[in-house]
């Protein structure tokens, strides 16, 4: 296996970078979408039930099924992979963002309004900072899940390490079948752990000590 990696280390590193780039880009887009939707739900509480239902349904859709649904519209390649990863990435962040924003103590909100803050200021300076630990927890879950979904997206020639897994499965019984599968699988796991560690550090920097768990 080490010879296999040594011969292909540059390509493996490049594909690993592509995998991380796809996931990070999708999760950033998903975070923006999820937080905006959560802010809307906070303004219109009756949408909360609908949001939870859609999130639950979305998580039951198999990755391969979603890829198959997207292919006729977006074709094969990075666009389909990005949409697929972003779709799944939104769901856990949206749930946590709704819980976090709705969980802010009403007393704190009334105090902020009493100080003359408008609704936009209350959202930006009170709700979002206090909800951030919960939102970040959702982002961590989303990131881990997205690393696996991005591997599945290699089925439509999406970038990343998933192609190694599919190559290994296609060559079962061949000389390098196991090497391909292990490099793809272990690569995804290692990168997922590194990204999660980075998010833990982000939390240490961005979450005030007073509300840190």
């Amino acid at each position: 296996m080490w010879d296999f990696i040594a011969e292909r280390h540059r390509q493996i590193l490049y594909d690993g970078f592509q995998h991380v780039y796809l996931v990070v880009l999708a999760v950033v887009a998903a975070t923006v979408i999820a937080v905006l939707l959560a802010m809307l739900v906070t303004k219109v509480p009756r949408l909360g039930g609908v949001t939870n239902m859609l999130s639950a349904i979305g998580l039951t859709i198999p990755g391969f099924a979603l890829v198959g649904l997207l292919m006729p519209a977006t074709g094969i390649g990075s666009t389909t992979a990005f949409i697929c990863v972003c779709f799944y990435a939104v769901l856990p962040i949206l749930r946590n963002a709704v819980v976090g924003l709705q969980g802010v103590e009403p007393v704190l909100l009334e105090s902020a309004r009493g100080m003359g803050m408008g609704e936009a200021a209350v959202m930006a300076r009170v709700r979002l900072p206090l909800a951030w630990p919960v939102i970040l927890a959702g982002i961590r879950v989303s990131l881990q899940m997205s690393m696996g979904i991005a591997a599945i997206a290699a089925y439509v020639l999406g970038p990343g390490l998933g192609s190694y897994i599919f190559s290994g499965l296609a060559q079962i019984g061949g000389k390098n079948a196991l090497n391909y599968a292990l490099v793809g699988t272990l690569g995804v796991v290692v990168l997922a752990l590194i990204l999660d560690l980075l998010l833990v550090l982000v939390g240490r920097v961005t979450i005030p000590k007073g509300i840190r768990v």
Side-chain angles (χ1 to χ4, degrees), residues 20-54:
V20 170
Y21 181 75
L22 170 64
V23 169
V24 170
L25 196 63
V27 170
V28 168
T31 301
V32 174
I33 294 169
V35 171
L36 290 176
L37 288 175
M39 290 167 64
L40 178 62
V41 171
T42 302
K43 292 294 183 183
V44 187
R46 75 186 80 174
L47 294 177
V50 177
T51 301
N52 288 332
M53 181 184 68
L54 292 177

Side-chain angles (χ1 to χ4, degrees), residues 8-205:
R8 299 167 176 81
H9 69 279
R10 290 187 179 180
Q11 186 62 43
I12 292 171
L13 289 174
Y14 177 75
D15 289 333
F17 170 79
Q18 290 284 84
H19 198 101
V20 170
Y21 181 75
L22 170 64
V23 169
V24 170
L25 196 63
V27 170
V28 168
T31 301
V32 174
I33 294 169
V35 171
L36 290 176
L37 288 175
M39 290 167 64
L40 178 62
V41 171
T42 302
K43 292 294 183 183
V44 187
R46 75 186 80 174
L47 294 177
V50 177
T51 301
N52 288 332
M53 181 184 68
L54 292 177
S55 296
I57 293 173
L59 287 171
T60 64
I61 300 175
F64 277 112
L66 182 59
V67 167
L69 291 172
L70 289 173
M71 280 178 62
T74 57
I76 292 176
S78 299
T79 300
T80 300
F82 174 80
I83 295 174
C84 184
V85 176
C86 190
F87 173 82
Y88 286 105
V90 166
L91 304 176
I93 303 174
L94 177 58
R95 278 190 169 188
N96 279 41
V98 170
V99 171
L101 291 175
Q102 291 183 338
V104 177
E105 291 289 339
V107 175
L108 298 176
L109 300 177
E110 289 302 320
S111 298
R113 294 187 185 104
M115 294 172 62
M117 290 187 188
E119 287 303 316
V122 170
M123 179 63 72
R125 300 177 63 181
V126 180
R127 280 191 186 271
L128 283 174
L130 291 176
W132 175 239
V134 182
I135 296 173
L136 184 60
I139 295 173
R140 289 180 64 187
V141 172
S142 176
L143 192 65
Q144 298 302 302
M145 186 172 66
S146 296
M147 292 296 289
I149 298 297
I152 293 175
Y155 182 74
V156 289
L157 304 183
L161 294 171
S163 59
Y164 289 85
I165 299 173
F166 283 106
S167 294
L169 294 175
Q171 299 175 29
I172 288 179
K175 179 182 177 181
N176 286 319
L178 183 60
N179 290 331
Y180 272 110
L182 284 176
V183 166
T185 303
L186 294 178
V188 170
V189 171
V190 170
L191 290 175
L193 292 174
I194 292 172
L195 289 178
D196 189 59
L197 178 60
L198 290 176
L199 282 182
V200 170
L201 296 177
V202 169
R204 290 288 182 182
V205 173

